[in-house]
Amino acid sequence: MHYFGYKNGELYCEEVPVKKIIEEVGTPVYIYSAKTIRRHYKVFEESFSEVEHLICYSVKANSNIAIISLLRQLGSGADVVSAGELKRALKAGVPPKKIVFSGVGKTPEEIEFALSVDILMFNVESLEELEVLGEIAKKLNKKAPFALRINPDVDPQTHPYISTGLKKSKFGIPEEFAISAYKKAKKNPYLQPVGIDAHIGSQITSLAPFVEALNRLKKIWEALIDLGFELKYLDIGGGLGIIYDDEEPPLPQEYADAIIKEGKDLKATIILEPGRVIVGNAGILVTKVLYTKENTLKKFVIVDAGMNDLIRPAFYQAYHKIVPVEEKNSEYEVVDVVGPICENSDFFAKDRKLPKLQRGDFLAIMSAGAYGFVMSSNYNSRPRVPEVLVDGDTYYIIRRRETIEDLLALESIPARYL
Ligand SMILES: *Cc1c(COP(=O)(O)O)cnc(C)c1O
């Protein structure tokens, strides 16, 4: 469910015509719907109301500080994977005690920063990281709260690039090593085991992998309790899928019911790290048709957004629905929608049936709110595009368009090359 739809043949985001935003900020542009984000958050949050829980929005899905702040207003915490994301969460006013820090490659500097602001817990992904965490905690004379991220070896049946809980993946610690690692940590007065964690992947559209992963965590949890550990947080990560095309992901309530059923006898505070499910369908990328052309095999629609702006199709062969900003009654054609970048993978759709388009038409690439802008780059020296947040009949530019001067500002030519 989202708040993008046509009124009198024109695409609106909530009560604002998309055309009106384009007139001010140009294209390409990301447009987000605040009402959609609030709705998704509330539905997700209410689904877990019968148990103690904390939602830590996964900042990497969409890390604009206005979006984090909007979610913080609703009570959300944050799951961060770098010092940069941690700073964003703090700047957006997220209380440190609602922040968890995940990631396989936290640097000592990042760990020190997170410890110094007293985050809720570190989701530790290796035995060496646990050691480093202990050393830094000792230096700061603090007790570092942590959970071990377990690699439960379950197949989430999603794209291989976003399957993170398989034995062969780099994430987490194998089950077999978990108990001994907790035991060792218990002897270190600067480490405080407070929970257990897993995150098995993203865009998961069935419940079974979540339940299986939770079962693995449960076994370790119970073994630890028997050994006298006092654990509080059962963090089951994020990963719930959304509808891009014809997927049938579980509803948040179905997801919650399955997790509550498995997890509630542990009397834990359940931590959830949703990203995509909150923001994915709350954003679109609007682009302009620059040219159309055809060869003997294919018709192409060349747009002003590129894979540097939205990499999901190139990276994961991801499907994004594409609709015209002004409804067309022209006949349909089968086209490739491609960007201006000098790479064959620079496409948004292949062999897609769309109404016949012409130069100057605007298109909305749907479901672009998660892993869209955050994965964008300056490849081909293209300034990154602006982000606009719509709320009711108002909109705000929450990130201005970069300029070419912005890109060049960080570089310099040493004198010998002048
Ligand atoms: C990416 C990530 C998430 C969010 O995943 P979604 O599929 O967007 O819900 C949560 N936790 C961790 C550790 C992640 O890396």
Side-chain angles (χ1 to χ4, degrees), residues 34 181 189 320 397:
H320 284 268
I397 298 169

Side-chain angles (χ1 to χ4, degrees), residues 58 60-61 79 81 102 149 199 201-203 237-240 273-276 371:
S58 177
K60 79 176 195 285
D79 167 45
V81 295
S102 308
R149 175 168 174 181
H199 169 73
S202 197
Q203 186 53 16
L240 186 58
E273 302 170 351
R276 190 187 308 268
Y371 308 104

Side-chain angles (χ1 to χ4, degrees), residues 58-63 68 78-91 99 102 110 113 374:
S58 177
V59 167
K60 79 176 195 285
N62 184 322
S63 48
I68 306 172
D79 167 45
V80 301
V81 295
S82 69
E85 287 191 356
L86 175 53
K87 282 221 169 122
R88 285 177 177 276
L90 295 171
K91 186 150 187 189
I99 298 178
S102 308
E110 289 179 312
F113 172 46
V374 286

Side-chain angles (χ1 to χ4, degrees), residues 11-27:
L11 186 66
Y12 275 66
C13 175
E14 302 186 15
E15 287 137 61
V16 179
V18 167
K19 264 301 253 313
K20 187 171 164 197
I21 297 172
I22 299 172
E23 273 158 25
E24 184 182 342
V25 303
T27 58

